[in-house]
Amino acid sequence: MELQEIMDFLKEKGSEQTRKIYKNHGCPDNFFGVKVGDLKVIQKKVKKNHDLAMQLYATQNGDAMYLAGLISDPEKMTKQELLNWADNASWYMISEYAVAWTVAESNFALELSQEWISGDSNHHKCIGYATLGSYIALTPDEELDINFYKNEVEKIGENIHDAENRVRYTMNGFVIAVGAYIKELYPLCKKIGEKIGKVEVSLGNTACKVPVIKPYLENIEAKGRLGKKRKSAKC
């Protein structure tokens, strides 16, 4: 499929109902309002296509940018391309999902995510925590620096309530990811989660809620899913 053909498809599939939902979540005006299920129709046809992903992302259309993340070929992404994607992500569904998924599967996952979470930009901190959460979901424990993740979880336990709104959300998700995917750190994450308690995050005019860490992890344990890795960050 060519770029224009895809953009025509997205325009056709856009709806006012979905536009309203995305607007409530903070999406800027440049989008059609396409359901993720419709985007996956194209994903199944195109699979991975680096050039097309780059063209879609460059449109700055919210639906096209999300689709770019679904069809990206992370191993072909250069560091500069990933940085450009991060810098130009227009809202959290792009930054914390499409971009974070792509970075997590790239050759620069650890380098960029660690740089971002230790930096001053709240926008990039969110991408960094989201990227690391996806990275540990994909990576065998023996290839992970367990002490690094232990230290990050402990730091979040001390600082999360003082962090910026969306950073709080991604920190919360990161602790859940560590506890869910690194079995050795599950007890620590439950303990830190109990200390943290409920994290207050403004999620706009939506019915969305912030998951509470300890009961969320206990539910994962009860379902026998602790430590089960994923094949892809994209979903």
PDB file of all heavy atoms in Angstrom, residues 178-198:
ATOM      1  N   VAL A 178       7.758  -3.950  36.086  1.00  0.00           N
ATOM      2  CA  VAL A 178       8.892  -4.616  36.738  1.00  0.00           C
ATOM      3  C   VAL A 178       8.401  -5.780  37.584  1.00  0.00           C
ATOM      4  O   VAL A 178       8.946  -6.897  37.533  1.00  0.00           O
ATOM      5  CB  VAL A 178       9.692  -3.619  37.599  1.00  0.00           C
ATOM      6  CG1 VAL A 178      10.755  -4.349  38.421  1.00  0.00           C
ATOM      7  CG2 VAL A 178      10.355  -2.559  36.721  1.00  0.00           C
ATOM      8  N   GLY A 179       7.361  -5.542  38.373  1.00  0.00           N
ATOM      9  CA  GLY A 179       6.836  -6.606  39.215  1.00  0.00           C
ATOM     10  C   GLY A 179       6.231  -7.752  38.432  1.00  0.00           C
ATOM     11  O   GLY A 179       6.317  -8.923  38.840  1.00  0.00           O
ATOM     12  N   ALA A 180       5.635  -7.434  37.300  1.00  0.00           N
ATOM     13  CA  ALA A 180       4.967  -8.455  36.493  1.00  0.00           C
ATOM     14  C   ALA A 180       5.929  -9.292  35.673  1.00  0.00           C
ATOM     15  O   ALA A 180       5.727 -10.506  35.511  1.00  0.00           O
ATOM     16  CB  ALA A 180       3.942  -7.796  35.567  1.00  0.00           C
ATOM     17  N   TYR A 181       6.997  -8.667  35.164  1.00  0.00           N
ATOM     18  CA  TYR A 181       7.874  -9.352  34.224  1.00  0.00           C
ATOM     19  C   TYR A 181       9.203  -9.810  34.804  1.00  0.00           C
ATOM     20  O   TYR A 181       9.895 -10.611  34.187  1.00  0.00           O
ATOM     21  CB  TYR A 181       8.123  -8.458  33.005  1.00  0.00           C
ATOM     22  CG  TYR A 181       6.888  -8.249  32.168  1.00  0.00           C
ATOM     23  CD1 TYR A 181       6.249  -7.020  32.122  1.00  0.00           C
ATOM     24  CD2 TYR A 181       6.348  -9.294  31.423  1.00  0.00           C
ATOM     25  CE1 TYR A 181       5.097  -6.823  31.363  1.00  0.00           C
ATOM     26  CE2 TYR A 181       5.201  -9.116  30.650  1.00  0.00           C
ATOM     27  CZ  TYR A 181       4.586  -7.879  30.634  1.00  0.00           C
ATOM     28  OH  TYR A 181       3.447  -7.701  29.885  1.00  0.00           O
ATOM     29  N   ILE A 182       9.579  -9.302  35.966  1.00  0.00           N
ATOM     30  CA  ILE A 182      10.820  -9.744  36.609  1.00  0.00           C
ATOM     31  C   ILE A 182      10.429 -10.388  37.935  1.00  0.00           C
ATOM     32  O   ILE A 182      10.215  -9.704  38.937  1.00  0.00           O
ATOM     33  CB  ILE A 182      11.799  -8.575  36.840  1.00  0.00           C
ATOM     34  CG1 ILE A 182      12.070  -7.819  35.540  1.00  0.00           C
ATOM     35  CG2 ILE A 182      13.117  -9.094  37.430  1.00  0.00           C
ATOM     36  CD1 ILE A 182      12.968  -6.605  35.693  1.00  0.00           C
ATOM     37  N   LYS A 183      10.310 -11.716  37.946  1.00  0.00           N
ATOM     38  CA  LYS A 183       9.765 -12.415  39.112  1.00  0.00           C
ATOM     39  C   LYS A 183      10.562 -12.127  40.376  1.00  0.00           C
ATOM     40  O   LYS A 183      10.009 -12.035  41.471  1.00  0.00           O
ATOM     41  CB  LYS A 183       9.712 -13.921  38.856  1.00  0.00           C
ATOM     42  CG  LYS A 183       8.687 -14.337  37.822  1.00  0.00           C
ATOM     43  CD  LYS A 183       8.593 -15.834  37.676  1.00  0.00           C
ATOM     44  CE  LYS A 183       7.895 -16.467  38.868  1.00  0.00           C
ATOM     45  NZ  LYS A 183       7.640 -17.905  38.650  1.00  0.00           N
ATOM     46  N   GLU A 184      11.863 -11.984  40.234  1.00  0.00           N
ATOM     47  CA  GLU A 184      12.728 -11.723  41.381  1.00  0.00           C
ATOM     48  C   GLU A 184      12.352 -10.425  42.091  1.00  0.00           C
ATOM     49  O   GLU A 184      12.537 -10.292  43.309  1.00  0.00           O
ATOM     50  CB  GLU A 184      14.186 -11.662  40.906  1.00  0.00           C
ATOM     51  CG  GLU A 184      15.210 -11.404  41.991  1.00  0.00           C
ATOM     52  CD  GLU A 184      16.625 -11.333  41.455  1.00  0.00           C
ATOM     53  OE1 GLU A 184      16.871 -11.851  40.337  1.00  0.00           O
ATOM     54  OE2 GLU A 184      17.486 -10.765  42.152  1.00  0.00           O
ATOM     55  N   LEU A 185      11.831  -9.466  41.338  1.00  0.00           N
ATOM     56  CA  LEU A 185      11.503  -8.162  41.912  1.00  0.00           C
ATOM     57  C   LEU A 185      10.015  -8.004  42.238  1.00  0.00           C
ATOM     58  O   LEU A 185       9.592  -6.931  42.685  1.00  0.00           O
ATOM     59  CB  LEU A 185      11.948  -7.046  40.962  1.00  0.00           C
ATOM     60  CG  LEU A 185      13.464  -6.952  40.745  1.00  0.00           C
ATOM     61  CD1 LEU A 185      13.797  -5.789  39.820  1.00  0.00           C
ATOM     62  CD2 LEU A 185      14.216  -6.797  42.067  1.00  0.00           C
ATOM     63  N   TYR A 186       9.249  -9.058  42.056  1.00  0.00           N
ATOM     64  CA  TYR A 186       7.826  -8.983  42.382  1.00  0.00           C
ATOM     65  C   TYR A 186       7.581  -8.600  43.845  1.00  0.00           C
ATOM     66  O   TYR A 186       6.786  -7.691  44.118  1.00  0.00           O
ATOM     67  CB  TYR A 186       7.147 -10.320  42.048  1.00  0.00           C
ATOM     68  CG  TYR A 186       5.730 -10.436  42.543  1.00  0.00           C
ATOM     69  CD1 TYR A 186       4.702  -9.726  41.939  1.00  0.00           C
ATOM     70  CD2 TYR A 186       5.411 -11.274  43.611  1.00  0.00           C
ATOM     71  CE1 TYR A 186       3.392  -9.837  42.385  1.00  0.00           C
ATOM     72  CE2 TYR A 186       4.111 -11.394  44.066  1.00  0.00           C
ATOM     73  CZ  TYR A 186       3.103 -10.671  43.449  1.00  0.00           C
ATOM     74  OH  TYR A 186       1.808 -10.769  43.904  1.00  0.00           O
ATOM     75  N   PRO A 187       8.248  -9.247  44.816  1.00  0.00           N
ATOM     76  CA  PRO A 187       7.999  -8.865  46.213  1.00  0.00           C
ATOM     77  C   PRO A 187       8.330  -7.400  46.499  1.00  0.00           C
ATOM     78  O   PRO A 187       7.596  -6.716  47.224  1.00  0.00           O
ATOM     79  CB  PRO A 187       8.914  -9.807  47.015  1.00  0.00           C
ATOM     80  CG  PRO A 187       9.136 -10.974  46.108  1.00  0.00           C
ATOM     81  CD  PRO A 187       9.179 -10.394  44.725  1.00  0.00           C
ATOM     82  N   LEU A 188       9.438  -6.918  45.933  1.00  0.00           N
ATOM     83  CA  LEU A 188       9.820  -5.519  46.130  1.00  0.00           C
ATOM     84  C   LEU A 188       8.764  -4.588  45.544  1.00  0.00           C
ATOM     85  O   LEU A 188       8.378  -3.600  46.182  1.00  0.00           O
ATOM     86  CB  LEU A 188      11.176  -5.241  45.482  1.00  0.00           C
ATOM     87  CG  LEU A 188      11.597  -3.762  45.453  1.00  0.00           C
ATOM     88  CD1 LEU A 188      11.827  -3.248  46.870  1.00  0.00           C
ATOM     89  CD2 LEU A 188      12.847  -3.569  44.592  1.00  0.00           C
ATOM     90  N   CYS A 189       8.297  -4.888  44.343  1.00  0.00           N
ATOM     91  CA  CYS A 189       7.316  -4.020  43.691  1.00  0.00           C
ATOM     92  C   CYS A 189       5.996  -4.005  44.453  1.00  0.00           C
ATOM     93  O   CYS A 189       5.334  -2.967  44.541  1.00  0.00           O
ATOM     94  CB  CYS A 189       7.104  -4.460  42.244  1.00  0.00           C
ATOM     95  SG  CYS A 189       8.551  -4.153  41.191  1.00  0.00           S
ATOM     96  N   LYS A 190       5.621  -5.138  45.031  1.00  0.00           N
ATOM     97  CA  LYS A 190       4.412  -5.157  45.867  1.00  0.00           C
ATOM     98  C   LYS A 190       4.603  -4.278  47.098  1.00  0.00           C
ATOM     99  O   LYS A 190       3.707  -3.517  47.487  1.00  0.00           O
ATOM    100  CB  LYS A 190       4.085  -6.584  46.301  1.00  0.00           C
ATOM    101  CG  LYS A 190       3.128  -7.295  45.412  1.00  0.00           C
ATOM    102  CD  LYS A 190       2.238  -8.317  46.112  1.00  0.00           C
ATOM    103  CE  LYS A 190       2.915  -9.158  47.165  1.00  0.00           C
ATOM    104  NZ  LYS A 190       1.942 -10.131  47.743  1.00  0.00           N
ATOM    105  N   LYS A 191       5.777  -4.381  47.696  1.00  0.00           N
ATOM    106  CA  LYS A 191       6.078  -3.591  48.897  1.00  0.00           C
ATOM    107  C   LYS A 191       6.082  -2.099  48.571  1.00  0.00           C
ATOM    108  O   LYS A 191       5.480  -1.284  49.292  1.00  0.00           O
ATOM    109  CB  LYS A 191       7.428  -4.009  49.456  1.00  0.00           C
ATOM    110  CG  LYS A 191       7.865  -3.238  50.693  1.00  0.00           C
ATOM    111  CD  LYS A 191       9.234  -3.712  51.165  1.00  0.00           C
ATOM    112  CE  LYS A 191       9.728  -2.886  52.345  1.00  0.00           C
ATOM    113  NZ  LYS A 191      11.086  -3.316  52.771  1.00  0.00           N
ATOM    114  N   ILE A 192       6.758  -1.745  47.477  1.00  0.00           N
ATOM    115  CA  ILE A 192       6.799  -0.343  47.057  1.00  0.00           C
ATOM    116  C   ILE A 192       5.404   0.126  46.660  1.00  0.00           C
ATOM    117  O   ILE A 192       4.995   1.256  46.949  1.00  0.00           O
ATOM    118  CB  ILE A 192       7.790  -0.148  45.900  1.00  0.00           C
ATOM    119  CG1 ILE A 192       9.221  -0.461  46.347  1.00  0.00           C
ATOM    120  CG2 ILE A 192       7.701   1.271  45.340  1.00  0.00           C
ATOM    121  CD1 ILE A 192       9.783   0.468  47.387  1.00  0.00           C
ATOM    122  N   GLY A 193       4.657  -0.749  46.006  1.00  0.00           N
ATOM    123  CA  GLY A 193       3.300  -0.410  45.613  1.00  0.00           C
ATOM    124  C   GLY A 193       2.412  -0.108  46.806  1.00  0.00           C
ATOM    125  O   GLY A 193       1.594   0.819  46.771  1.00  0.00           O
ATOM    126  N   GLU A 194       2.590  -0.875  47.865  1.00  0.00           N
ATOM    127  CA  GLU A 194       1.814  -0.620  49.085  1.00  0.00           C
ATOM    128  C   GLU A 194       2.193   0.726  49.690  1.00  0.00           C
ATOM    129  O   GLU A 194       1.339   1.483  50.162  1.00  0.00           O
ATOM    130  CB  GLU A 194       2.065  -1.736  50.102  1.00  0.00           C
ATOM    131  CG  GLU A 194       1.212  -1.632  51.347  1.00  0.00           C
ATOM    132  CD  GLU A 194       1.332  -2.850  52.235  1.00  0.00           C
ATOM    133  OE1 GLU A 194       2.375  -3.543  52.169  1.00  0.00           O
ATOM    134  OE2 GLU A 194       0.396  -3.128  52.997  1.00  0.00           O
ATOM    135  N   LYS A 195       3.475   1.037  49.646  1.00  0.00           N
ATOM    136  CA  LYS A 195       3.949   2.327  50.136  1.00  0.00           C
ATOM    137  C   LYS A 195       3.388   3.486  49.305  1.00  0.00           C
ATOM    138  O   LYS A 195       2.954   4.502  49.848  1.00  0.00           O
ATOM    139  CB  LYS A 195       5.479   2.360  50.116  1.00  0.00           C
ATOM    140  CG  LYS A 195       6.092   3.700  50.479  1.00  0.00           C
ATOM    141  CD  LYS A 195       7.602   3.647  50.347  1.00  0.00           C
ATOM    142  CE  LYS A 195       8.220   5.011  50.617  1.00  0.00           C
ATOM    143  NZ  LYS A 195       9.699   4.998  50.466  1.00  0.00           N
ATOM    144  N   ILE A 196       3.394   3.314  48.010  1.00  0.00           N
ATOM    145  CA  ILE A 196       2.920   4.361  47.098  1.00  0.00           C
ATOM    146  C   ILE A 196       1.414   4.563  47.240  1.00  0.00           C
ATOM    147  O   ILE A 196       0.923   5.698  47.272  1.00  0.00           O
ATOM    148  CB  ILE A 196       3.274   4.006  45.638  1.00  0.00           C
ATOM    149  CG1 ILE A 196       4.783   4.131  45.410  1.00  0.00           C
ATOM    150  CG2 ILE A 196       2.519   4.911  44.654  1.00  0.00           C
ATOM    151  CD1 ILE A 196       5.245   3.602  44.056  1.00  0.00           C
ATOM    152  N   GLY A 197       0.678   3.475  47.309  1.00  0.00           N
ATOM    153  CA  GLY A 197      -0.772   3.576  47.379  1.00  0.00           C
ATOM    154  C   GLY A 197      -1.371   4.049  46.070  1.00  0.00           C
ATOM    155  O   GLY A 197      -0.836   3.785  44.992  1.00  0.00           O
ATOM    156  N   LYS A 198      -2.448   4.795  46.154  1.00  0.00           N
ATOM    157  CA  LYS A 198      -3.120   5.284  44.957  1.00  0.00           C
ATOM    158  C   LYS A 198      -2.397   6.507  44.413  1.00  0.00           C
ATOM    159  O   LYS A 198      -2.069   7.425  45.147  1.00  0.00           O
ATOM    160  CB  LYS A 198      -4.577   5.646  45.269  1.00  0.00           C
ATOM    161  CG  LYS A 198      -5.373   6.064  44.047  1.00  0.00           C
ATOM    162  CD  LYS A 198      -6.827   6.333  44.391  1.00  0.00           C
ATOM    163  CE  LYS A 198      -7.623   6.737  43.159  1.00  0.00           C
ATOM    164  NZ  LYS A 198      -9.049   7.001  43.473  1.00  0.00           N
TER     165      LYS A 198
END
